């Protein structure tokens, strides 16, 4: 729409007080923040002065910071404490417009910004960029419901500090490096007396008919496996969150291990953390079966239902939420997760948003897609260093024999999904001999031109996740 002589995004127009306004407008091919007036904070934008007190400010990190202070809805907030929250690891920084349209409709809160350090490295991005791309998207489209930013799977003081200093609203503390996977009955050290006194010979009635008790052998092993991880979480909590310096929530992640988290292990870790004064919003155990990236659940559904039920009772007992990682496309287990958690959960997705972006490529530029697909096949072995998958490349249809119209359908085939899923970093960073990107720049151009196609795909695909979880529309 035309606003004060600019081609403005209508929903971005924010009037402040009597005579100040800030909005986003298209100037030529580029988007800018236009700010004018004398409301406090307005003068902070850095850019080109247009005379009459108005500034045309580029979408820089500096200006994103000014915007977050001026309009708090453009900054992350603590949505992890809401009943239903949903992580959307948008690796490309382009998915938020589609996610916004979806979460405007559903009774759940989005964590639009969610990246691990590994993902930052593989995509050559920074947390500043991850945060800013969401800030500008929610500003442009006027999304005022609230959204979160997750420093995902962080393991070190340096990384946690990095995310918190930028205003991230949650930290997923990855305790996996401190979990001992090689503990056996034979090699577990003797049980420290304080744990024996606290846990042995007792029945822990956690409600809903669930009573837990530990044998000495079990307890000895659990202490050996998780003791150090608990110490680590306590230390990180005390260091960063205890005194309330940062307005962020803590998620305890014990999911990146080799073996399933048993209900007794889950109870023990939670109990020890809480008794040590750690306050956390969510816990991510490792569930039975396989949560491979970008495809449906693999495993025994009945067993999963039985176990998620007990995990949910433990979480309710201690008053935090269960968090489900690698939640992309786990359609067959969503109904039981929704039911057993009574609609109180955090779910994380990431790769599926990237796969939908690649489906768009297959739909609008088949020749380009074929080129990328063939590169992905050649790069597959290297990519398996980072991800555990059971992909069978021989099952993937040959893209040269598929008709153009059949190409997007390749994303309904699990092996092809995993091929494209795990090669994202290599695809985005592949360079030509002259140092230019082989695919990246052309991909971003394509996605920019097809923003609506991508948004529609996300609404449909992530919407299916929410529907199966039993999330109602507002
Ligand atoms: Zn995880």
């Amino acid at each position: 729409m035309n606003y004060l002589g600019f081609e403005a995004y209508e929903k971005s127009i924010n009037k402040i007080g009597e005579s100040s306004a800030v909005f986003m407008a298209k100037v030529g091919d580029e988007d800018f923040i236009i700010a004018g007036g004398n409301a406090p904070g307005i003068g902070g934008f850095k850019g080109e002065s247009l005379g009459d007190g108005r500034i045309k400010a580029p979408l820089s990190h500096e200006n994103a910071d000014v915007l977050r202070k001026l309009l708090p809805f453009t900054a992350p907030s603590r949505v992890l404490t809401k009943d239903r929250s949903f992580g959307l690891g948008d690796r490309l920084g382009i998915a938020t417009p589609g996610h916004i349209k979806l979460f405007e409709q559903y009774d759940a809160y989005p964590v639009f910004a969610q990246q691990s350090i590994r993902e930052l490295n593989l995509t050559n991005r920074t947390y500043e960029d991850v945060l800013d791309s969401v800030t500008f998207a929610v500003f442009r489209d006027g999304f005022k419901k609230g959204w979160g930013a997750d420093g995902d799977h962080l393991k070190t003081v340096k990384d946690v500090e990095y995310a918190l200093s930028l205003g991230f609203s949650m930290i997923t503390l990855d305790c996996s490096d401190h979990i001992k996977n090689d503990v056996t009955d034979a090699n577990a050290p003797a049980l420290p007396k304080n744990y024996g006194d606290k846990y042995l010979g007792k029945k822990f009635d956690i409600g809903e008919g669930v009573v837990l008790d530990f044998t000495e052998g079990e307890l000895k092993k659990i202490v050996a496996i998780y003791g150090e991880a608990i110490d680590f979480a306590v230390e990180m909590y005390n260091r960063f969150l205890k005194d309330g310096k940062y307005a962020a929530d803590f998620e305890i992640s014990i999911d990146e291990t080799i073996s399933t988290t048993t209900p007794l292990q889950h109870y023990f870790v939670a109990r020890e953390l809480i008794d040590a004064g750690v306050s956390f919003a969510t816990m991510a155990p490792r569930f039975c079966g396989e949560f491979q990236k970008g495809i449906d659940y693999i495993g025994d559904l009945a067993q999963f239902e039985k176990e998620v039920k007990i995990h949910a009772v433990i979480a309710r007992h201690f008053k935090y939420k269960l968090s489900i990682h690698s939640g992309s496309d786990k359609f067959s287990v969503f109904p039981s997760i929704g039911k057993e958690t009574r609609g109180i959960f955090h779910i994380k997705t990431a790769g599926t948003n990237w796969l939908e972006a690649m489906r768009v490529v297959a739909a609008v530029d088949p020749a380009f897609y074929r080129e990328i697909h063939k590169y992905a096949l050649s790069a597959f072995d290297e990519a398996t260093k980072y991800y555990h998958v059971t992909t069978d490349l021989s099952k993937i249809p040959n893209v040269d024999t598929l008709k153009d119209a059949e190409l997007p359908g390749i994303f309904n085939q699990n092996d092809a999904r995993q091929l494209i899923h795990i090669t994202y970093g290599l695809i985005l960073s592949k360079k030509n001999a002259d140092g230019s990107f082989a695919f990246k720049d052309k991909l971003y151009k394509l996605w920019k031109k097809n923003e609506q196609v991508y948004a529609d795909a996300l609404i449909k695909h992530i919407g299916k996740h929410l529907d199966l979880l039993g999330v109602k529309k507002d």
Side-chain angles (χ1 to χ4, degrees):
M1 71 176 291
N2 188 297
Y3 184 70
L4 306 176
F6 286 94
E7 197 187 322
Y9 293 95
E10 191 173 356
K11 289 180 177 168
S12 75
I13 299 171
N14 283 268
K15 293 180 185 151
I16 302 163
E18 290 286 297
S19 58
S20 300
V22 55
F23 56 94
M24 190 183 283
K26 215 178 192 45
V27 181
D29 230 10
E30 245 183 287
D31 293 334
F32 288 89
I33 298 165
I34 310 294
N38 47 20
I42 283 264
F45 290 108
K46 298 269 183 298
E48 181 190 336
S49 171
L50 300 172
D52 63 18
R54 279 188 304 196
I55 299 165
K56 186 181 109 184
L59 304 189
S60 65
H61 175 61
E62 210 179 11
N63 287 326
D65 270 340
V66 176
L67 199 58
R68 284 189 280 265
K69 287 201 187 82
L70 189 66
L71 303 172
F73 74 87
T74 65
S77 62
R78 297 173 70 171
V79 298
L80 192 62
T81 53
K82 303 282 187 187
D83 280 353
R84 280 163 296 289
S85 49
F86 200 95
L88 301 138
D90 168 20
R91 292 175 182 151
L92 300 166
I94 56 167
T96 304
H99 292 151
I100 285 175
K101 289 199 187 77
L102 185 67
F103 282 84
E104 276 171 342
Q105 299 171 44
Y106 281 86
D107 180 19
Y109 286 81
V111 175
F112 287 142
Q114 170 207 289
Q115 301 273 292
S116 64
I117 298 293
R118 177 174 70 180
E119 287 168 321
L120 290 184
N121 292 339
L122 287 173
T123 53
N124 248 307
R125 297 181 75 200
T126 60
Y127 270 154
E128 285 85 342
D129 168 40
V130 168
L131 200 59
D132 296 348
S133 63
V134 177
T135 288
F136 293 131
V138 299
F139 173 53
R140 191 193 77 174
D141 293 348
F143 183 79
K144 296 183 176 154
K145 179 170 164 176
W147 57 280
D150 180 4
D152 195 11
H153 275 286
L154 301 186
K155 298 178 171 183
T156 66
V157 166
K158 181 173 139 263
D159 293 343
V160 171
E161 192 143 47
Y162 175 31
L164 288 174
S165 70
L166 293 172
F168 274 56
S169 62
M170 69 178 277
I171 295 297
T172 298
L173 188 69
D174 184 333
C175 302
S176 57
D177 287 354
H178 306 270
I179 295 172
K180 297 216 168 66
N181 285 305
D182 52 359
V183 174
T184 61
D185 289 315
N187 70 12
L191 182 67
K193 182 170 181 306
N194 57 327
Y195 289 115
D197 293 346
K198 185 168 172 182
Y199 288 98
L200 292 181
K202 292 183 185 160
K203 294 204 181 303
F204 297 94
D205 182 349
I206 56 169
E208 304 177 46
V210 179
V211 178
L212 302 172
D213 55 5
F214 295 77
T215 67
E216 187 171 352
E218 281 164 341
L219 184 63
K220 189 173 86 167
K221 272 204 306 192
I222 292 173
V223 171
I225 296 169
Y226 291 99
E228 219 175 83
I230 290 164
D231 291 345
F232 170 66
V234 172
E235 190 194 312
M236 294 295 266
Y237 176 79
N238 288 345
R239 184 171 192 137
F240 290 109
L241 295 180
K242 193 179 178 181
D243 65 3
K245 182 177 162 205
Y246 296 107
D249 295 304
F250 220 22
E251 167 156 319
I252 305 292
S253 142
I254 52 171
D255 67 307
E256 307 259 309
T257 60
I258 296 164
S259 49
T260 304
T261 312
T262 65
L264 279 182
Q265 291 171 339
H266 178 179
Y267 177 86
F268 176 84
V269 172
R271 174 82 192 262
E272 285 303 305
L273 289 173
I274 288 165
D275 287 353
V278 177
S279 166
F280 54 97
T282 38
M283 165 104 77
R286 160 123 197 204
F287 294 98
C288 61
E290 289 205 43
F291 281 67
Q292 287 190 25
K293 306 289 178 184
I295 61 169
D296 205 344
Y297 177 75
I298 302 171
D300 181 339
L301 280 178
Q303 181 69 18
F304 177 82
E305 261 168 57
K306 223 168 81 187
E307 292 194 18
V308 77
K309 189 185 187 114
I310 301 176
H311 287 301
V313 173
I314 296 170
R316 267 196 292 279
H317 172 74
F318 288 119
K319 299 189 171 59
Y320 54 80
K321 300 197 293 185
L322 273 190
S323 176
I324 320 290
H325 289 196
S326 303
S328 292
D329 305 273
K330 300 302 177 292
F331 300 120
S332 64
V333 290
F334 285 151
S336 55
I337 290 169
K339 176 172 157 251
E340 297 305 341
T341 61
R342 299 182 185 164
I344 298 176
F345 52 70
H346 182 64
I347 310 283
K348 292 197 193 201
T349 66
T352 205
N353 299 290
W354 150 256
L355 287 173
E356 287 306 306
M358 290 304 291
R359 196 199 295 263
V360 170
V361 179
V364 303
D365 192 342
F368 187 38
Y369 178 77
R370 285 190 182 91
E371 196 190 326
I372 298 172
H373 184 97
K374 287 176 199 167
Y375 168 70
L377 284 170
S378 73
F380 179 76
D381 276 347
E382 195 187 339
T384 54
K385 282 183 207 151
Y386 306 105
Y387 289 102
H388 165 68
V389 288
T390 52
T391 312
D392 182 350
L393 295 183
S394 71
K395 288 188 184 153
I396 300 175
N398 180 343
V399 286
D400 284 330
T401 58
L402 289 178
K403 296 195 189 81
D404 285 357
E406 292 168 337
L407 217 45
I410 206 165
F411 286 91
N412 301 329
Q413 204 272 337
N414 279 349
D415 299 283
R417 289 184 73 76
Q418 290 197 316
L419 165 70
I420 300 301
H421 184 293
I422 71 167
T423 50
Y424 73 92
L426 296 165
I427 291 170
L428 291 171
S429 56
K430 170 77 178 154
K431 290 200 171 153
N432 297 316
D434 64 1
S436 62
F437 283 111
F439 310 118
K440 186 180 177 181
D441 295 338
K442 191 173 168 191
L443 278 169
Y444 271 93
K445 223 177 265 169
L446 182 154
W447 287 320
K448 191 168 183 196
K449 200 169 139 206
N450 293 280
E451 185 188 310
Q452 196 54 49
V453 181
Y454 185 37
D456 290 342
L458 288 173
I459 292 166
K460 188 170 158 221
H461 191 67
I462 302 295
K464 186 178 168 189
H465 290 59
L466 296 172
D467 288 336
L468 285 167
L469 284 158
V471 182
K472 301 273 180 289
K473 294 199 175 174
D474 270 335

